[in-house]
Amino acid sequence: MSKKAFIFDLDGVIVDTAKYHFLAWRKLANSMGFDFTHEQNEQLKGVSRVKSLEKILAWGNKSVSEDEFNKLMVQKNEDYLTYIEKMDAQEILPDVAKTLDFLKEKEQHIALGSASKNARMILEKVNLLEKFDVLVDGNDVANAKPNPEVFLNAAKQLQANPKDCIVFEDAVAGIQAANNAGMVSIGIGDKNTLHEANYVFKNFTEITTDFLSQLIDK
Ligand code: BG6
Ligand code: MG
């Protein structure tokens, strides 16, 4: 049996926090007198906090001082934290825990590759922290997805060759980052949105242990 590295994005893959990011950003935009759509929100998925705010301000045709920009970032995060405050293991998306357990049983490497600076806290809240051999998050990287840095960093720590890494992602930017890293990309979500991925599944309930075994043995 070969040893592969399975790298999981967090928001929208392990837990459904993508909806909380959306609500918090939308509240911020609304407070400034404009709105944005679900389609536009796809462009925010996987993207760092700074880059997200830059995009949103551009959509609303707003320009703000550096000081105001920083205040808006703090405001959004405070709002976001109120949504995730009460999170627990019930918010783990269906069959994610089962997939992690299967990979552990097969003695595969497991890593987190997330843009979020709140990643460690969320994994602790949902009680999954100890499943991960390596954690790379928004505090560790200089370049946001679609730059491959976050995934290459995880591979390096695991001493894994990028071609032996498999990435689970719900974001277009994340799929591009995995592809840019030379890794196998698995989209979790909509086939059309994530068409650049090597494989796409609606969620983990569609991913069979046979499929995972094939990835391991490739
Ligand atoms: C990504 C999310 O995982 O993390 C983005 O998909 C979010 O929506 C980014 O902006 C940064 O997260 P945080 O928690 O550091 O603001
Ligand atoms: Mg995500």
Side-chain angles (χ1 to χ4, degrees):
M1 197 194 323
S2 63
K3 195 150 179 152
K4 297 279 162 55
F6 288 83
I7 309 177
F8 290 74
D9 172 47
L10 175 73
D11 296 311
V13 168
I14 293 175
V15 282
D16 194 10
T17 38
K19 69 179 179 215
Y20 300 137
H21 280 294
F22 175 62
L23 290 174
W25 282 129
R26 198 167 186 205
K27 188 169 166 194
L28 195 86
N30 290 172
S31 76
M32 297 176 84
F34 65 97
D35 205 359
F36 61 88
T37 63
H38 277 280
E39 284 69 42
Q40 284 174 303
N41 186 56
E42 286 303 320
Q43 297 176 43
L44 302 180
K45 288 186 179 173
V47 173
S48 68
R49 205 180 301 170
V50 175
K51 285 257 178 311
S52 300
L53 183 54
E54 284 171 1
K55 279 178 193 274
I56 291 166
L57 292 173
W59 294 336
N61 272 319
K62 302 275 175 202
S63 63
V64 297
S65 66
E66 200 184 319
D67 196 39
E68 179 66 8
F69 189 96
N70 290 331
K71 277 191 195 142
L72 291 171
M73 293 241 293
V74 170
Q75 200 177 317
K76 184 270 173 176
N77 195 51
E78 280 177 358
D79 227 22
Y80 175 67
L81 292 178
T82 63
Y83 287 117
I84 61 170
E85 202 176 27
K86 294 182 211 75
M87 271 184 89
D88 59 22
Q90 286 183 9
E91 295 214 33
I92 301 170
L93 285 165
D95 282 2
V96 169
K98 193 175 130 193
T99 304
L100 289 168
D101 287 342
F102 178 78
L103 295 173
K104 267 258 163 323
E105 190 190 302
K106 297 283 174 192
E107 297 176 359
Q108 301 300 300
H109 290 305
I110 301 177
L112 189 89
S114 167
S116 173
K117 295 187 171 174
N118 297 303
R120 177 176 288 271
M121 181 190 58
I122 292 173
L123 284 182
E124 272 169 2
K125 275 183 183 295
V126 300
N127 218 0
L128 283 180
L129 190 59
E130 78 280 7
K131 306 269 185 204
F132 291 83
D133 302 309
V134 158
L135 224 74
V136 184
D137 67 21
N139 300 296
D140 306 312
V141 292
N143 302 296
K145 300 168 187 177
N147 187 290
E149 184 184 352
V150 61
F151 298 137
L152 290 174
N153 182 325
K156 194 170 172 196
Q157 289 191 54
L158 292 167
Q159 297 183 323
N161 192 317
K163 72 169 180 36
D164 293 324
C165 296
I166 296 110
V167 174
F168 295 103
E169 258 293 347
D170 69 316
V172 175
I175 293 296
Q176 290 167 342
N179 292 343
N180 289 337
M183 299 177 177
V184 176
S185 55
I186 303 187
I188 302 294
D190 178 66
K191 271 202 168 56
N192 297 322
T193 309
L194 302 174
H195 63 89
E196 290 172 70
N198 296 129
Y199 307 90
V200 183
F201 298 94
K202 269 206 195 74
N203 55 50
F204 280 89
T205 66
E206 287 190 348
I207 301 181
T208 63
T209 51
D210 275 357
F211 175 73
L212 295 171
S213 299
Q214 280 169 30
L215 291 173
I216 293 169
D217 293 333
K218 239 183 199 166

